[in-house]
Coordinates of all heavy atoms in Angstrom, one line a residue:
M15 N 0.8 -1.2 0.0 CA 0.0 0.0 0.0 C 0.8 1.2 0.0 O 0.4 2.3 -0.5 CB -0.9 0.0 1.3 CG -1.9 1.1 1.2 SD -3.2 0.7 2.4 CE -3.9 2.4 2.6
A16 N 2.0 1.2 0.6 CA 2.9 2.3 0.7 C 3.5 2.8 -0.6 O 3.6 3.9 -1.0 CB 4.0 2.1 1.6
A17 N 3.8 1.8 -1.6 CA 4.3 2.1 -2.9 C 3.5 2.9 -3.7 O 4.0 3.9 -4.3 CB 4.8 0.8 -3.5
P18 N 2.1 2.7 -3.8 CA 1.4 3.6 -4.7 C 1.3 5.0 -4.1 O 1.3 5.9 -4.9 CB 0.0 2.9 -4.6 CG 0.2 1.5 -4.3 CD 1.5 1.4 -3.4
T19 N 1.4 5.1 -2.9 CA 1.4 6.5 -2.3 C 2.7 7.2 -2.7 O 2.6 8.4 -3.1 CB 1.2 6.4 -0.8 OG1 0.0 5.7 -0.4 CG2 1.1 7.8 -0.1
F20 N 3.8 6.5 -2.5 CA 5.1 7.2 -2.9 C 5.1 7.5 -4.4 O 5.5 8.5 -4.8 CB 6.3 6.2 -2.6 CG 6.7 6.2 -1.2 CD1 7.8 5.3 -0.8 CD2 6.2 7.0 -0.2 CE1 8.2 5.3 0.4 CE2 6.7 7.1 1.0 CZ 7.7 6.1 1.4
A21 N 4.5 6.6 -5.2 CA 4.6 6.8 -6.7 C 3.6 7.9 -7.0 O 3.9 8.7 -8.0 CB 4.0 5.5 -7.4
A22 N 2.6 8.2 -6.3 CA 1.6 9.3 -6.6 C 2.3 10.7 -6.3 O 1.7 11.7 -6.8 CB 0.4 9.1 -5.9
E23 N 3.2 10.7 -5.5 CA 3.8 12.0 -5.0 C 4.9 12.4 -6.0 O 5.6 11.5 -6.6 CB 4.4 11.9 -3.6 CG 3.4 11.6 -2.6 CD 4.1 11.3 -1.2 OE1 5.3 11.0 -1.2 OE2 3.4 11.0 -0.3
S24 N 5.2 13.6 -6.1 CA 6.3 14.1 -7.0 C 7.6 13.7 -6.2 O 7.7 13.5 -4.9 CB 6.3 15.5 -7.2 OG 6.5 16.2 -6.0
K25 N 8.6 13.6 -7.0 CA 10.0 13.3 -6.3 C 10.3 14.4 -5.3 O 10.8 14.0 -4.3 CB 11.0 13.2 -7.4 CG 12.4 13.0 -6.9 CD 13.4 12.8 -8.0 CE 14.8 12.5 -7.4 NZ 15.8 12.4 -8.4
K26 N 10.1 15.6 -5.7 CA 10.4 16.7 -4.8 C 9.7 16.6 -3.6 O 10.3 16.8 -2.4 CB 10.0 18.1 -5.5 CG 10.5 19.3 -4.6 CD 10.2 20.6 -5.4 CE 10.8 21.7 -4.7 NZ 9.9 22.6 -4.0
Q27 N 8.3 16.3 -3.6 CA 7.5 16.2 -2.3 C 8.1 15.0 -1.5 O 8.2 15.1 -0.3 CB 6.0 16.0 -2.7 CG 5.2 15.9 -1.4 CD 5.2 17.3 -0.6 OE1 4.8 18.3 -1.2 NE2 5.6 17.1 0.5
S28 N 8.4 14.0 -2.1 CA 8.8 12.8 -1.4 C 10.1 13.1 -0.7 O 10.4 12.8 0.4 CB 9.0 11.6 -2.4 OG 9.6 10.5 -1.7
C29 N 11.0 13.8 -1.4 CA 12.4 14.2 -0.8 C 12.2 15.1 0.4 O 12.8 15.0 1.4 CB 13.3 14.9 -1.8 SG 13.9 13.5 -3.0
E30 N 11.2 16.0 0.2 CA 10.9 17.0 1.3 C 10.4 16.2 2.5 O 10.8 16.5 3.7 CB 9.9 18.0 0.9 CG 10.5 19.1 0.0 CD 9.6 20.0 -0.6 OE1 8.4 20.0 -0.3 OE2 10.0 20.8 -1.4
Y31 N 9.5 15.3 2.4 CA 9.0 14.5 3.5 C 10.2 13.7 4.1 O 10.3 13.6 5.3 CB 8.0 13.5 3.1 CG 6.5 14.0 2.7 CD1 5.8 13.6 1.7 CD2 6.1 15.1 3.6 CE1 4.6 14.2 1.5 CE2 4.8 15.7 3.3 CZ 4.1 15.2 2.3 OH 2.8 15.7 2.0
Q32 N 11.0 13.1 3.3 CA 12.2 12.3 3.8 C 13.1 13.4 4.7 O 13.6 12.9 5.6 CB 13.0 11.7 2.6 CG 12.3 10.6 2.0 CD 13.1 10.1 0.8 OE1 14.3 9.9 0.9 NE2 12.4 9.8 -0.3
S33 N 13.3 14.5 4.2 CA 14.1 15.4 4.9 C 13.5 15.8 6.3 O 14.2 16.0 7.3 CB 14.5 16.7 4.1 OG 13.4 17.5 3.9
Q34 N 12.1 15.9 6.3 CA 11.5 16.1 7.5 C 11.7 15.0 8.5 O 11.8 15.2 9.8 CB 10.0 16.3 7.3 CG 9.6 17.6 6.6 CD 8.2 17.7 6.2 OE1 7.4 17.0 6.8 NE2 7.8 18.5 5.3
V35 N 11.7 13.7 8.0 CA 12.0 12.6 8.8 C 13.4 12.6 9.4 O 13.6 12.4 10.6 CB 11.8 11.3 8.0 CG1 12.2 10.0 8.8 CG2 10.3 11.1 7.6
V36 N 14.3 13.0 8.6 CA 15.8 13.1 9.0 C 15.8 14.2 10.1 O 16.5 14.0 11.1 CB 16.7 13.4 7.8 CG1 18.1 13.9 8.3 CG2 16.8 12.3 6.9
A37 N 15.1 15.3 9.9 CA 15.2 16.4 10.9 C 14.6 15.9 12.2 O 15.1 16.2 13.3 CB 14.4 17.6 10.4
A38 N 13.5 15.1 12.2 CA 13.0 14.6 13.4 C 13.9 13.6 14.1 O 14.0 13.6 15.4 CB 11.6 13.9 13.1
I39 N 14.6 12.8 13.3 CA 15.6 11.9 13.9 C 16.7 12.7 14.5 O 17.2 12.3 15.6 CB 16.1 10.8 12.8 CG1 15.0 9.9 12.3 CG2 17.2 10.0 13.3 CD1 15.3 9.2 11.0
Q40 N 17.2 13.6 13.8 CA 18.3 14.5 14.3 C 17.9 15.1 15.7 O 18.7 15.2 16.6 CB 18.6 15.5 13.3 CG 19.8 16.5 13.7 CD 20.2 17.4 12.6 OE1 19.5 17.6 11.6 NE2 21.4 18.1 12.8
K41 N 16.7 15.6 15.8 CA 16.1 16.2 17.0 C 16.1 15.2 18.1 O 16.6 15.5 19.2 CB 14.7 16.9 16.7 CG 14.3 17.6 18.1 CD 12.9 18.2 17.9 CE 12.4 18.9 19.1 NZ 12.8 18.4 20.3
A42 N 15.7 14.0 17.9 CA 15.6 12.9 18.7 C 17.0 12.6 19.3 O 17.2 12.4 20.4 CB 15.0 11.7 18.1
R43 N 18.0 12.6 18.3 CA 19.3 12.4 18.8 C 19.9 13.4 19.7 O 20.6 13.1 20.7 CB 20.3 12.3 17.5 CG 21.7 12.1 17.8 CD 22.2 10.7 17.9 NE 23.5 10.5 18.5 CZ 24.7 10.6 17.8 NH1 24.7 10.9 16.5 NH2 25.8 10.5 18.4
I44 N 19.5 14.7 19.4 CA 20.0 15.8 20.2 C 19.4 15.8 21.5 O 19.9 16.0 22.6 CB 19.7 17.1 19.5 CG1 20.7 17.2 18.3 CG2 19.9 18.3 20.4 CD1 20.3 18.5 17.3
D45 N 18.1 15.3 21.6 CA 17.4 15.1 22.8 C 17.8 13.8 23.5 O 17.1 13.4 24.6 CB 15.9 15.1 22.6 CG 15.4 16.4 22.1 OD1 16.1 17.4 22.3 OD2 14.3 16.4 21.5
R46 N 18.7 13.1 23.1 CA 19.3 11.8 23.7 C 18.3 10.7 23.7 O 18.3 10.0 24.7 CB 19.9 12.3 25.0 CG 21.0 13.3 25.0 CD 22.0 13.2 26.1 NE 23.0 14.2 26.0 CZ 24.2 14.1 25.2 NH1 24.4 13.2 24.4 NH2 25.0 15.2 25.4
V47 N 17.5 10.7 22.8 CA 16.5 9.5 22.7 C 17.4 8.3 22.2 O 18.2 8.5 21.3 CB 15.4 9.8 21.6 CG1 14.5 8.6 21.4 CG2 14.6 10.9 22.1
K48 N 17.2 7.2 22.8 CA 18.0 6.0 22.3 C 17.5 5.7 21.0 O 16.4 5.7 20.6 CB 17.8 4.8 23.3 CG 18.4 5.1 24.7 CD 18.2 4.0 25.6 CE 18.9 4.3 26.9 NZ 18.6 3.4 27.9
E49 N 18.4 5.2 20.2 CA 18.1 4.8 18.7 C 16.9 3.9 18.6 O 16.0 4.1 17.7 CB 19.4 4.2 18.0 CG 19.1 4.0 16.6 CD 20.3 3.6 15.8 OE1 21.5 3.6 16.4 OE2 20.2 3.3 14.6
R50 N 16.8 2.9 19.4 CA 15.8 1.9 19.3 C 14.4 2.5 19.7 O 13.3 2.0 19.3 CB 16.0 0.7 20.1 CG 16.0 0.8 21.6 CD 16.3 -0.5 22.3 NE 16.4 -0.3 23.7 CZ 17.5 0.1 24.4 NH1 18.6 0.3 23.7 NH2 17.5 0.2 25.7
E51 N 14.5 3.7 20.4 CA 13.2 4.4 20.9 C 12.8 5.4 19.9 O 11.7 6.1 20.1 CB 13.3 4.8 22.2 CG 13.6 3.7 23.3 CD 13.9 4.3 24.7 OE1 14.0 5.5 24.8 OE2 14.2 3.4 25.5
V52 N 13.6 5.7 19.0 CA 13.3 6.9 18.0 C 11.9 6.8 17.3 O 11.2 7.7 17.3 CB 14.4 7.0 17.0 CG1 14.1 8.0 15.9 CG2 15.7 7.5 17.6
P53 N 11.5 5.5 16.7 CA 10.2 5.6 16.0 C 9.0 5.9 17.0 O 8.2 6.7 16.5 CB 10.1 4.1 15.5 CG 11.5 3.6 15.4 CD 12.2 4.3 16.5
A54 N 9.1 5.4 18.1 CA 8.0 5.7 19.1 C 8.0 7.1 19.6 O 7.0 7.9 19.6 CB 8.0 4.8 20.4
A55 N 9.2 7.6 19.8 CA 9.4 9.1 20.2 C 8.9 10.0 19.1 O 8.2 11.1 19.4 CB 10.8 9.4 20.5
I56 N 9.2 9.8 17.8 CA 8.7 10.7 16.7 C 7.2 10.5 16.6 O 6.6 11.6 16.3 CB 9.5 10.3 15.5 CG1 11.0 10.8 15.6 CG2 8.8 11.0 14.3 CD1 11.9 10.3 14.5
A57 N 6.7 9.3 16.7 CA 5.3 9.0 16.5 C 4.5 9.8 17.6 O 3.4 10.4 17.3 CB 4.9 7.6 16.7
A58 N 5.1 10.0 18.8 CA 4.4 10.7 19.9 C 4.4 12.2 19.6 O 3.5 12.9 20.2 CB 5.2 10.5 21.1
T59 N 5.1 12.7 18.6 CA 5.1 14.1 18.2 C 4.0 14.4 17.2 O 3.8 15.5 16.8 CB 6.4 14.6 17.7 OG1 6.7 14.0 16.5 CG2 7.5 14.4 18.8
N60 N 3.4 13.4 16.7 CA 2.3 13.6 15.7 C 2.9 14.3 14.5 O 2.4 15.3 14.1 CB 1.1 14.2 16.3 CG -0.1 14.0 15.5 OD1 -0.2 13.1 14.6 ND2 -1.2 14.8 15.7
P61 N 3.8 13.7 13.8 CA 4.4 14.4 12.6 C 3.4 14.6 11.4 O 2.5 14.0 11.3 CB 5.6 13.4 12.2 CG 5.2 12.1 12.7 CD 4.3 12.4 13.9
S62 N 3.8 15.7 10.7 CA 2.9 16.2 9.6 C 2.9 15.4 8.3 O 2.2 15.5 7.4 CB 3.1 17.6 9.3 OG 4.4 17.9 8.9
W63 N 4.1 14.5 8.1 CA 4.2 13.8 7.0 C 3.3 12.6 6.9 O 2.6 12.2 8.0 CB 5.7 13.4 6.8 CG 6.1 12.4 7.9 CD1 5.8 11.1 8.1 CD2 7.1 12.9 8.9 NE1 6.6 10.7 9.2 CE2 7.3 11.7 9.7 CE3 7.8 13.9 9.2 CZ2 8.1 11.7 10.7 CZ3 8.6 14.0 10.3 CH2 8.8 12.8 11.1
P64 N 2.9 12.1 5.6 CA 2.1 10.9 5.6 C 2.7 9.7 6.4 O 3.9 9.6 6.6 CB 2.1 10.6 4.1 CG 2.5 11.9 3.4 CD 3.3 12.6 4.4
D65 N 1.7 8.9 6.9 CA 2.0 7.8 7.8 C 3.0 6.8 7.2 O 3.8 6.3 8.0 CB 0.8 7.1 8.2 CG -0.1 7.8 9.2 OD1 0.4 8.8 9.8 OD2 -1.2 7.5 9.4
N66 N 3.0 6.6 5.9 CA 3.9 5.7 5.3 C 5.4 6.0 5.4 O 6.2 5.2 5.3 CB 3.6 5.4 3.9 CG 3.5 6.6 3.0 OD1 3.3 7.7 3.5 ND2 3.7 6.5 1.7
Y67 N 5.7 7.3 5.7 CA 7.1 7.7 5.9 C 7.6 7.2 7.2 O 8.9 7.3 7.5 CB 7.2 9.2 5.7 CG 7.2 9.6 4.2 CD1 6.0 9.8 3.6 CD2 8.4 9.6 3.5 CE1 5.9 10.1 2.2 CE2 8.3 10.0 2.2 CZ 7.1 10.1 1.5 OH 7.1 10.4 0.2
N68 N 6.7 6.9 8.2 CA 7.2 6.4 9.4 C 8.0 5.1 9.3 O 8.8 4.8 10.1 CB 6.0 6.2 10.4 CG 5.4 7.6 10.8 OD1 6.0 8.5 10.8 ND2 4.1 7.4 11.1
A69 N 7.7 4.3 8.3 CA 8.4 3.1 8.0 C 9.9 3.4 7.7 O 10.8 2.5 7.8 CB 7.7 2.3 6.9
A70 N 10.2 4.6 7.2 CA 11.6 4.9 6.9 C 12.5 5.3 8.1 O 13.6 5.2 8.0 CB 11.6 6.1 5.9
I71 N 11.8 5.6 9.2 CA 12.5 6.0 10.4 C 13.6 5.0 10.8 O 14.8 5.4 11.0 CB 11.5 6.4 11.6 CG1 10.7 7.5 11.2 CG2 12.4 6.7 12.9 CD1 9.6 7.9 12.2
P72 N 13.2 3.7 11.0 CA 14.3 2.7 11.3 C 15.4 2.6 10.3 O 16.6 2.2 10.6 CB 13.6 1.4 11.5 CG 12.1 1.8 11.6 CD 12.0 3.0 10.9
L73 N 15.2 2.9 9.0 CA 16.2 2.8 8.0 C 17.1 4.0 8.0 O 18.2 3.9 7.7 CB 15.5 2.7 6.6 CG 14.5 1.4 6.5 CD1 13.8 1.5 5.2 CD2 15.3 0.2 6.7
M74 N 16.5 5.1 8.3 CA 17.3 6.5 8.4 C 18.0 6.8 9.6 O 19.1 7.5 9.6 CB 16.3 7.7 8.0 CG 15.7 7.6 6.6 SD 14.4 8.7 6.4 CE 14.7 9.3 4.8
A75 N 17.5 6.3 10.7 CA 18.1 6.5 12.1 C 19.5 6.2 12.2 O 20.4 6.9 12.7 CB 17.3 5.9 13.2
P76 N 20.0 5.0 11.7 CA 21.4 4.7 11.8 C 22.3 5.7 11.2 O 23.5 6.0 11.6 CB 21.4 3.3 11.1 CG 20.2 2.7 11.2 CD 19.2 3.9 11.1
W77 N 21.9 6.3 10.0 CA 22.8 7.3 9.3 C 22.9 8.5 10.3 O 24.0 9.0 10.4 CB 22.0 7.8 8.1 CG 22.9 8.8 7.3 CD1 24.0 8.7 6.7 CD2 22.5 10.1 7.2 NE1 24.4 9.9 6.2 CE2 23.5 10.9 6.4 CE3 21.4 11.0 7.6 CZ2 23.4 12.1 6.1 CZ3 21.4 12.3 7.3 CH2 22.3 12.9 6.6
V78 N 21.9 8.9 10.9 CA 22.0 10.0 11.9 C 22.8 9.6 13.2 O 23.7 10.3 13.6 CB 20.6 10.6 12.3 CG1 20.7 11.7 13.3 CG2 19.8 11.1 11.0
Y79 N 22.5 8.5 13.7 CA 23.1 8.0 14.9 C 24.6 7.6 14.7 O 25.3 7.6 15.7 CB 22.4 6.9 15.5 CG 21.2 7.5 16.4 CD1 20.1 8.0 15.9 CD2 21.3 7.4 17.8 CE1 19.0 8.5 16.6 CE2 20.2 8.0 18.6 CZ 19.1 8.5 18.0 OH 18.1 9.0 18.8
D80 N 25.0 7.4 13.5 CA 26.4 7.0 13.2 C 27.3 8.3 13.2 O 28.5 8.3 13.2 CB 26.6 6.3 11.9 CG 26.1 4.8 12.1 OD1 25.9 4.3 13.2 OD2 25.9 4.2 11.0
Q81 N 26.7 9.5 13.1 CA 27.4 10.8 13.0 C 27.8 11.2 14.4 O 27.2 10.9 15.4 CB 26.5 11.9 12.4 CG 25.9 11.6 11.1 CD 26.9 11.4 10.0 OE1 27.9 12.0 9.9 NE2 26.7 10.4 9.2
K82 N 29.0 11.9 14.4 CA 29.5 12.4 15.7 C 28.5 13.5 16.2 O 27.8 14.1 15.4 CB 30.8 13.0 15.5 CG 31.9 11.9 15.2 CD 33.3 12.6 15.1 CE 34.2 11.6 14.7 NZ 35.0 11.1 15.7
M83 N 28.3 13.7 17.5 CA 27.3 14.6 18.1 C 27.7 16.0 17.6 O 26.8 16.9 17.4 CB 27.3 14.6 19.6 CG 26.5 13.5 20.2 SD 24.7 13.6 19.6 CE 24.2 15.0 20.5
K84 N 29.0 16.3 17.4 CA 29.4 17.7 16.9 C 28.7 18.0 15.5 O 28.1 19.0 15.3 CB 30.9 17.7 16.8 CG 31.3 19.1 16.3 CD 32.9 19.1 16.2 CE 33.3 20.5 15.6 NZ 34.7 20.6 15.5
V85 N 28.7 17.0 14.7 CA 28.0 17.1 13.3 C 26.4 17.2 13.5 O 25.8 18.0 13.0 CB 28.4 15.8 12.5 CG1 27.5 15.9 11.2 CG2 29.8 15.8 12.2
V86 N 25.9 16.3 14.4 CA 24.5 16.3 14.7 C 24.0 17.7 15.2 O 23.0 18.2 14.7 CB 24.1 15.2 15.6 CG1 22.6 15.2 16.0 CG2 24.4 13.8 15.0
R87 N 24.8 18.3 16.1 CA 24.4 19.5 16.7 C 24.6 20.8 15.8 O 23.8 21.6 15.8 CB 25.3 19.8 18.0 CG 24.8 19.2 19.2 CD 25.4 19.7 20.4 NE 25.9 18.5 21.2 CZ 27.1 18.1 21.4 NH1 28.1 18.7 20.7 NH2 27.4 17.1 22.1
N88 N 25.7 20.6 14.9 CA 25.9 21.8 14.1 C 25.6 21.8 12.6 O 25.7 22.8 12.0 CB 27.5 22.2 14.2 CG 27.9 22.3 15.7 OD1 27.2 23.0 16.4 ND2 29.0 21.8 16.0
E89 N 25.2 20.7 12.1 CA 24.9 20.6 10.7 C 23.5 20.4 10.5 O 22.7 19.8 11.3 CB 25.6 19.3 10.1 CG 27.2 19.4 10.3 CD 27.9 20.5 9.4 OE1 27.4 20.9 8.4 OE2 28.9 21.0 9.9
D90 N 23.0 20.9 9.3 CA 21.6 20.7 9.0 C 21.5 19.5 8.1 O 21.7 19.4 6.9 CB 21.1 21.9 8.1 CG 19.7 21.8 7.7 OD1 18.9 20.8 8.0 OD2 19.0 22.9 7.3
M91 N 21.3 18.3 8.8 CA 21.3 17.0 8.1 C 20.1 16.9 7.2 O 20.1 16.2 6.2 CB 21.4 15.9 9.2 CG 22.6 16.0 10.0 SD 22.6 14.8 11.3 CE 23.2 13.4 10.3
A92 N 19.0 17.5 7.5 CA 17.8 17.5 6.7 C 18.0 18.1 5.3 O 17.7 17.6 4.2 CB 16.6 18.1 7.4
A93 N 18.8 19.2 5.3 CA 19.2 19.9 4.0 C 20.1 19.0 3.3 O 19.9 19.0 2.0 CB 19.7 21.3 4.3
A94 N 21.0 18.4 3.9 CA 22.0 17.6 3.1 C 21.3 16.3 2.5 O 21.5 16.0 1.4 CB 23.0 17.0 4.2
W95 N 20.2 15.8 3.3 CA 19.5 14.7 2.8 C 18.6 15.1 1.6 O 18.6 14.5 0.6 CB 18.6 14.1 3.9 CG 17.8 12.9 3.4 CD1 16.7 12.7 2.7 CD2 18.2 11.5 3.6 NE1 16.3 11.5 2.5 CE2 17.3 10.7 3.0 CE3 19.3 10.9 4.3 CZ2 17.4 9.3 3.0 CZ3 19.3 9.5 4.4 CH2 18.4 8.7 3.8
L96 N 18.0 16.2 1.7 CA 17.3 16.8 0.6 C 17.9 17.0 -0.7 O 17.6 16.5 -1.6 CB 16.5 18.1 1.0 CG 15.6 18.7 0.0 CD1 14.4 17.9 -0.3 CD2 15.0 20.1 0.5
E97 N 19.1 17.5 -0.4 CA 20.1 17.8 -1.6 C 20.4 16.5 -2.3 O 20.3 16.4 -3.5 CB 21.3 18.5 -1.2 CG 22.3 18.9 -2.3 CD 23.4 19.7 -1.8 OE1 23.3 20.4 -0.9 OE2 24.5 19.7 -2.6
L98 N 20.9 15.6 -1.5 CA 21.3 14.2 -2.0 C 20.0 13.5 -2.7 O 20.2 12.9 -3.8 CB 21.8 13.3 -0.9 CG 23.2 13.7 -0.4 CD1 23.5 12.9 0.9 CD2 24.2 13.5 -1.5
C99 N 18.8 13.6 -2.1 CA 17.6 12.9 -2.6 C 17.3 13.5 -3.9 O 17.0 12.8 -4.9 CB 16.5 13.1 -1.5 SG 14.9 12.3 -2.1
L100 N 17.3 14.9 -4.0 CA 17.0 15.4 -5.3 C 17.9 15.3 -6.4 O 17.6 15.2 -7.6 CB 16.8 17.0 -5.0 CG 15.6 17.5 -4.2 CD1 15.7 19.0 -3.9 CD2 14.3 17.0 -4.9
Q101 N 19.2 14.9 -6.0 CA 20.2 14.6 -7.2 C 20.0 13.2 -7.7 O 20.6 13.0 -8.8 CB 21.6 14.7 -6.5 CG 22.0 16.1 -6.2 CD 23.4 16.2 -5.6 OE1 24.0 15.3 -5.3 NE2 23.8 17.4 -5.3
Q102 N 19.3 12.4 -7.0 CA 19.2 10.9 -7.5 C 18.0 10.8 -8.5 O 17.2 11.6 -8.6 CB 18.9 10.0 -6.3 CG 20.1 9.9 -5.4 CD 19.9 9.0 -4.2 OE1 19.0 8.1 -4.2 NE2 20.9 9.0 -3.4

């Protein structure tokens, strides 16, 4: 069911939702949420993206959690994700 929803969206819109997910994961990391608890912590914030993007959280979280805290605190990881996504 998720695949048709992704297909119906423009690439730009999909990349923007993905970057919002990355931003939420980055915020969770800054707030010291444990990686395994990130999906539940983000769900509790009632995010504005479509529900099917919640499935990407466990796939994207390791990328954020593998970064050094200096990078997580000081870099806009969502913007980096958006740029990379749009280039593909």
Side-chain angles (χ1 to χ4, degrees):
M15 188 167 162
T19 304
F20 279 176
E23 296 168 353
S24 71
K25 178 180 179 176
K26 183 174 189 256
Q27 183 64 62
S28 177
C29 288
E30 287 174 2
Y31 286 140
Q32 290 177 44
S33 71
Q34 290 174 18
V35 172
V36 169
I39 296 168
Q40 184 176 10
K41 182 179 180 331
R43 174 93 192 275
I44 291 169
D45 292 344
R46 304 209 181 274
V47 175
K48 293 182 180 173
E49 186 175 354
R50 69 179 176 273
E51 296 170 2
V52 168
I56 292 174
T59 67
N60 199 16
S62 61
W63 59 74
D65 288 342
N66 55 336
Y67 284 87
N68 292 334
I71 295 170
L73 304 173
M74 298 169 142
W77 179 69
V78 175
Y79 276 74
D80 285 346
Q81 305 297 320
K82 293 180 186 262
M83 276 304 286
K84 180 179 181 181
V85 171
V86 174
R87 276 192 230 103
N88 299 321
E89 303 291 329
D90 185 350
M91 298 177 84
W95 186 278
L96 180 62
E97 184 178 333
L98 289 171
C99 181
L100 290 172
Q101 288 176 1
Q102 294 183 9

